[in-house]
Amino acid sequence: MTKIEEIKNPILWDNIVCKSNQYSLLCSSKFLSGLTCPHRFFLLKEKQNIKMSVLIFEKKKKFEKYFLQDFNYNQGFYFFDSDLIERKRNKERIRLTNIFLHEITKNYSELRFSLNYNIKDIRAFQWFDYPKKKFQINTVYTSIINLNEFKTFEEYIKSIRYERRREYRLFAKTDYKIIQENNHKKFIKLYKFLKPNIGKLMFDTHLKVIRNAGKKNFSRTNFLLDKNKIIAGTLFYYHKDTAYYAFSVSDPNYKKKISCTTPLILEQINYSFKNKIKNVDFLGINSPNRGDFKESFGGKLEFFSELFYKKI
């Protein structure tokens, strides 16, 4: 018999979900505490063995506008089945997912999930309540650099697009200086330049995530200085063996000699090398210009699924 249990204790959630191959910083309680949309944790158990864990977000009226606005990446289903061969694993995941969906959709008219990129089989969602198509499925992409493929940072630099290498060389010839300082107030002051472009709602959600990352101590910021003036900055998340390119910004009113963000991103990647970080995740490459810029740093293309359920 399969039992569905809710976990109220976020520390217990972390201790369980971290054992899944789909685990990342982005489903941990310390990251989720920076989001506004309410969320809940569930376990599926059989004979006291944990088979699957699920993170859901609730579309409550008070926070309705954050349901799709809050950061949505690797937040959904987590399995504990590394001992199974692929054929059995696929069948078991479909069975467990179907059990959970049948129960949870009794209480929710809308749900959203973002699967980890190592979950490629999404038939459980395509077939749910077949032949009705209850899930809208979007295929989205990210770029991930496997730093273990390179012996040195210099070897990595040779692998990236010519434009980025050129910008890095030009930076070396300037008087600009990179400093590393985990000063989130300075980064937010700089990030405010983006508010007119991205709008108040998105800016406010970003602000909360940035502050939470500083409070929970899983981010690293660096800044580009022209003399003593900060003209650009980046913020990366760091967790276990993965770095995440989260935010970057430059002062639009400052006349720049070169690209300001390229040397900052490469400094973060160099830091990752020095600290034995395995992967650098660019957290999505799903808009033409920004996506192309991120991909130019030499990562491998990965796709994953965003799932949206709406009761008909």
Side-chain angles (χ1 to χ4, degrees):
M1 182 179 176
T2 305
K3 290 180 62 179
I4 299 176
E5 296 180 4
E6 183 173 4
I7 299 178
K8 299 285 190 179
N9 185 336
I11 303 302
L12 178 59
W13 165 261
D14 290 337
N15 290 338
I16 292 171
V17 76
C18 72
K19 298 172 185 174
S20 169
N21 288 335
Q22 289 80 49
Y23 172 75
S24 76
L25 165 70
L26 308 171
C27 64
S28 68
S29 64
K30 67 179 180 180
F31 181 82
L32 295 169
S33 62
L35 304 185
T36 303
C37 189
H39 57 272
R40 297 170 71 187
F41 305 125
F42 292 93
L43 295 181
L44 267 71
K45 286 184 175 181
E46 292 180 347
K47 296 179 181 179
Q48 294 305 309
N49 294 317
I50 298 171
K51 297 292 185 177
M52 182 175 80
S53 58
V54 186
L55 163 62
I56 73 161
F57 288 86
E58 299 183 296
K59 191 176 183 180
K60 291 192 173 181
K61 189 171 183 180
K62 183 179 178 181
F63 304 104
E64 187 174 353
K65 62 184 178 181
Y66 296 101
F67 183 67
L68 296 178
Q69 186 62 69
D70 257 345
F71 190 82
N72 185 20
Y73 191 104
N74 187 30
Q75 293 157 351
F77 291 75
Y78 311 92
F79 300 95
F80 306 89
D81 54 12
S82 57
D83 58 323
L84 298 179
I85 62 173
E86 184 176 2
R87 176 175 52 82
K88 289 185 177 180
R89 185 167 62 240
N90 290 342
K91 184 177 180 180
E92 182 72 352
R93 288 183 179 184
I94 290 173
R95 183 182 71 84
L96 293 169
T97 302
N98 203 45
I99 290 171
F100 180 79
L101 291 177
H102 271 290
E103 290 302 314
I104 204 69
T105 53
K106 293 175 182 177
N107 301 313
Y108 291 94
S109 59
E110 289 188 62
L111 294 166
R112 69 166 173 88
F113 304 105
S114 173
L115 301 183
N116 185 283
Y117 48 77
N118 69 25
I119 299 178
K120 303 303 185 186
D121 186 351
I122 59 170
R123 290 174 294 170
F125 305 96
Q126 293 172 321
W127 294 347
F128 178 64
D129 206 8
Y130 188 83
K132 297 176 183 177
K133 294 183 178 180
K134 293 292 185 71
F135 277 93
Q136 176 190 333
I137 301 171
N138 294 338
T139 300
V140 286
Y141 297 86
T142 191
S143 179
I144 298 176
I145 305 169
N146 182 353
L147 295 180
N148 287 349
E149 294 179 353
F150 308 97
K151 293 180 180 178
T152 64
F153 176 69
E154 289 69 28
E155 182 183 338
Y156 159 73
I157 288 290
K158 293 177 182 178
S159 75
I160 66 178
R161 192 180 295 174
Y162 169 76
E163 289 94 329
R164 305 290 86 83
R165 299 199 307 271
R166 181 176 177 272
E167 288 165 353
Y168 194 54
R169 289 196 301 269
L170 289 173
F171 159 72
K173 296 177 181 179
T174 69
D175 296 327
Y176 292 162
K177 182 172 72 170
I178 294 176
I179 63 166
Q180 193 281 309
E181 181 182 356
N182 282 337
N183 190 321
H184 291 75
K185 289 183 178 180
K186 287 183 180 178
F187 187 83
I188 288 170
K189 182 179 179 181
L190 192 63
Y191 201 73
K192 287 179 180 178
F193 284 116
L194 290 181
K195 188 174 181 179
N197 296 327
I198 65 177
K200 184 180 186 303
L201 179 60
M202 184 178 290
F203 178 79
D204 288 346
T205 58
H206 288 185
L207 212 62
K208 189 172 179 180
V209 169
I210 291 167
R211 285 172 173 153
N212 180 67
K215 181 180 177 181
K216 300 291 185 179
N217 197 32
F218 60 82
S219 63
R220 179 180 186 268
T221 54
N222 62 4
F223 299 95
L224 190 69
L225 272 65
D226 184 5
K227 298 177 182 175
N228 291 320
K229 181 177 175 59
I230 294 175
I231 59 173
T234 69
L235 186 150
F236 274 52
Y237 304 141
Y238 286 88
H239 184 65
K240 297 185 181 293
D241 64 353
T242 303
Y244 303 84
Y245 170 28
F247 300 101
S248 63
V249 61
S250 59
D251 184 342
N253 301 314
Y254 197 80
K255 189 174 180 180
K256 308 167 189 70
K257 303 172 185 175
I258 58 163
S259 165
C260 292
T261 52
T262 292
L264 290 172
I265 292 168
L266 291 174
E267 191 277 334
Q268 296 272 20
I269 294 172
N270 193 17
Y271 171 84
S272 299
F273 254 107
K274 292 176 181 177
N275 287 273
K276 309 301 180 184
I277 297 294
K278 178 182 176 182
N279 295 313
V280 180
D281 188 338
F282 277 73
L283 292 181
I285 51 170
N286 297 296
S287 59
N289 293 332
R290 188 159 176 77
D292 181 70
F293 173 73
K294 290 181 176 183
E295 201 172 358
S296 71
F297 287 88
K300 178 184 176 184
L301 191 67
E302 292 280 2
F303 74 88
F304 57 100
S305 297
E306 291 181 344
L307 311 164
F308 303 93
Y309 167 85
K310 191 166 186 177
K311 191 171 288 185
I312 299 172

